């Protein structure tokens, strides 16, 4: 969303339909949760809305495990397209973030490394460190246009001017790093959304206004202002497996690593309830080609033995990934199921 000539595309334009390149010898996208700690309690996040007894204490990934993951990445024959080093936490709280990014970058097996941050800790010094180690993308979530809005939406005492100036400085030193800024329409009026675009368009390479949705397993989000309908959680609806449930593409291209080493392939699985294996005792390549992931892919394609979390999931409604349903028979043959 832009009216400025300086904007750049956020994603690669060299796109091939997913079904034409399967099976993959390595994930296209790797999510690495270096920390689950966060200094915000956003109303649209499970950290705010889930049963507090279910939420484990915030934890950091041991740096020794980051080193092991970097070695595992190097074993893949083909490069990973994107590595997200922020999954369910504020990445700038991770004490070794620049060093961790450099380790992943030095494998030369990841095309693009990005973080998603709330911007509150993105000081000039931290920005310089991240640019110096070759970070490719920074996605900044803006949760208010005033100090009061931040207190209301994220329940944190932060200064909007600090966050704005952090983004402004990062943009000024970004070099080849792509700066993407986004906010959530549900919490702001149309006039406020226009103000957001006016403020941040000149200091970003791309900009977008999203919507908050119920996307976390086991979580029911509150209804924010400005008319978002009270929605049913995307994991609380049931399908007719044979006629309604699409083939989920996530197990075919995505792998997510939690701070304790557990892996999963579901974007809403903040608990790692559907573990595909643990990188503490398996390599990423073993997990990617392992029986757990093979079983999930087969279940998705054949409509048989689908996990309970999957058979009531509407997450696909939010995803830009390809629906693989029309290619089920072709893919069953390709994978040898």
């Amino acid at each position: 969303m832009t009216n400025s000539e300086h904007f750049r595309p956020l994603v690669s334009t060299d796109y091939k339909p997913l079904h034409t390149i399967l099976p993959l010898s390595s994930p296209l996208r790797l999510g690495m949760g270096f920390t689950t700690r966060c200094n915000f309690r956003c109303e649209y996040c499970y950290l705010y809305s889930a049963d507090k007894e279910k939420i484990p204490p915030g934890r950091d990934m041991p740096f020794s495990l980051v080193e092991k993951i970097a070695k595992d990445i190097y074993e893949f024959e083909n490069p990973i397209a994107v590595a997200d080093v922020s999954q369910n936490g504020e990445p700038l709280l991770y004490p070794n973030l620049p060093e961790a990014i450099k380790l992943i970058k030095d494998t030369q097996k990841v095309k693009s490394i990005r973080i998603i941050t709330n911007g509150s800790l993105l000081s000039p010094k931290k920005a310089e460190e991240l640019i110096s180690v070759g970070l490719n993308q920074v996605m900044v979530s803006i949760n208010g246009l005033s100090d009061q809005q931040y207190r209301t939406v994220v329940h944190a005492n932060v200064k909007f001017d600090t966050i704005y100036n952090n983004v402004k400085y990062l943009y000024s030193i970004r070099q080849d790093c792509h700066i993407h800024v986004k906010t959530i329409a549900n919490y702001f009026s149309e006039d406020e959304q226009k103000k957001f675009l006016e403020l941040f368009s000149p200091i970003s390479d791309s900009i977008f206004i999203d919507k908050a949705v119920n996307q976390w397993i086991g979580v029911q989000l509150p209804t924010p202002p400005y008319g978002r309908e009270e929605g049913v959680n995307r994991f609380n609806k049931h399908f007719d497996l044979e006629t309604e449930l699409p083939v989920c593409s996530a197990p075919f291209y995505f792998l997510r690593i939690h701070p304790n080493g557990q892996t999963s392939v579901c974007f809403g699985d903040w608990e790692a309830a559907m573990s595909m294996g643990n990188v503490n005792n398996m390599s990423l390549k073993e997990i990617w080609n392992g029986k757990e992931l093979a079983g999930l892919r087969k279940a998705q394609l054949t409509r048989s033995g689908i996990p309970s979390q999957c058979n009531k999931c509407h997450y696909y409604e939010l995803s830009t990934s390809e629906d693989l349903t029309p290619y089920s028979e072709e893919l069953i043959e390709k994978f040898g199921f």
Side-chain angles (χ1 to χ4, degrees):
M1 180 178 295
T2 175
N3 57 4
S4 173
E5 293 181 357
H6 79 271
F7 277 77
R8 299 183 290 175
L10 177 63
V11 296
S12 171
T13 55
D14 183 23
Y15 171 78
K16 296 178 181 178
L18 181 62
H19 74 275
T20 65
I21 59 175
L22 294 178
L24 296 168
S25 62
S26 59
L28 286 178
R29 179 176 171 187
L30 186 66
M32 291 178 285
F34 289 159
T35 184
T36 55
R37 294 187 293 130
C38 191
N39 58 336
F40 284 5
R41 287 295 180 268
C42 303
E43 291 195 351
Y44 51 84
C45 178
Y46 74 90
L47 285 173
Y48 178 84
S49 301
D51 181 349
K52 298 303 183 285
E53 294 183 358
K54 292 180 63 179
I55 300 176
R59 64 181 300 172
D60 293 344
M61 182 181 288
F63 194 71
S64 59
L65 184 55
V66 180
E67 293 175 318
K68 196 261 184 185
I69 289 170
K71 292 178 181 178
D72 286 356
I73 289 173
Y74 188 76
E75 292 180 358
F76 284 118
E77 290 85 0
N78 294 316
I80 294 165
V82 177
D84 276 311
V85 294
S86 42
Q87 298 281 305
N88 300 5
E90 170 51 53
L92 296 181
L93 284 171
Y94 189 65
N96 304 109
L97 183 62
E99 296 90 339
I101 291 173
K102 188 176 188 305
L103 270 179
I104 305 304
K105 188 81 175 180
D106 286 349
T107 66
Q108 298 185 1
K109 286 294 184 74
V110 178
K111 293 182 179 179
S112 181
I113 303 175
R114 74 181 182 187
I115 66 169
I116 303 173
T117 175
N118 59 44
S120 64
L121 304 175
L122 191 60
S123 66
K125 180 181 178 182
K126 185 62 68 176
E128 291 167 2
E129 290 175 347
L130 294 173
I131 296 301
S132 70
V133 295
L135 184 63
N136 300 101
Q137 295 181 24
V138 179
M139 303 180 74
V140 186
S141 298
I142 301 300
N143 295 284
L145 298 176
S146 68
D147 300 354
Q148 179 58 50
Q149 282 185 323
Y150 267 90
R151 285 192 291 271
T152 300
V153 176
V154 306
H155 303 274
N157 290 318
V158 295
K159 297 292 185 182
F160 168 73
D161 286 348
T162 298
I163 294 174
Y164 175 80
N165 288 326
N166 286 348
V167 177
K168 185 176 181 180
Y169 183 75
L170 174 67
Y171 182 76
S172 72
I173 65 165
R174 72 193 188 285
Q175 299 180 32
D176 292 328
C177 183
H178 186 110
I179 312 303
H180 178 75
V181 180
K182 59 191 179 75
T183 195
I184 298 178
N186 313 62
Y187 289 87
F188 306 107
S189 67
E190 289 188 6
D191 286 342
E192 289 168 334
Q193 292 175 41
K194 290 178 182 177
K195 182 180 178 181
F196 161 75
L197 293 173
E198 291 171 358
L199 285 171
F200 287 96
S201 290
I203 56 173
S204 60
D205 293 307
S206 58
I207 193 166
F208 203 76
I209 299 176
D210 296 317
K211 283 191 175 183
V213 292
N214 294 322
Q215 67 173 26
W216 302 105
I217 292 178
V219 177
Q220 181 64 45
L221 297 181
T223 303
Y226 302 122
R228 180 175 72 80
E229 296 179 0
E230 184 65 31
V232 176
N233 184 284
R234 290 304 191 277
F235 289 91
N236 291 345
K237 291 183 176 183
H238 288 273
F239 286 98
D240 181 318
L241 295 184
E242 293 185 358
T243 61
E244 295 182 283
L245 180 65
V247 174
C248 178
S249 61
F252 297 89
Y253 77 91
F254 174 64
L255 189 64
R256 174 181 184 176
I257 311 169
H258 298 256
N260 62 356
Q262 292 289 1
T263 61
S264 61
V265 294
C266 177
F267 295 99
D269 188 8
W270 57 276
E271 296 180 279
M274 294 188 291
S275 176
M276 299 293 110
N278 195 303
V279 292
N280 281 294
N281 48 47
M282 298 176 67
S283 72
L284 285 175
K285 192 172 182 179
E286 288 172 334
I287 292 171
W288 185 249
N289 297 313
K291 64 178 183 179
E292 294 292 339
L293 247 176
L296 182 57
R297 291 167 185 150
K298 181 178 180 179
Q300 284 289 337
L301 291 173
T302 63
R303 312 284 81 192
S304 176
I306 294 177
S308 60
Q309 293 94 334
C310 298
N311 69 21
K312 53 184 179 180
C313 169
H314 274 234
Y315 193 94
Y316 79 96
E317 296 172 340
L318 318 174
S319 174
T320 56
S321 301
E322 183 179 0
D323 177 9
L324 298 178
T325 308
Y327 314 103
S328 296
E329 294 300 323
E330 172 188 337
L331 293 175
I332 287 171
E333 184 175 348
K334 277 187 175 183
F335 279 88
F337 294 143

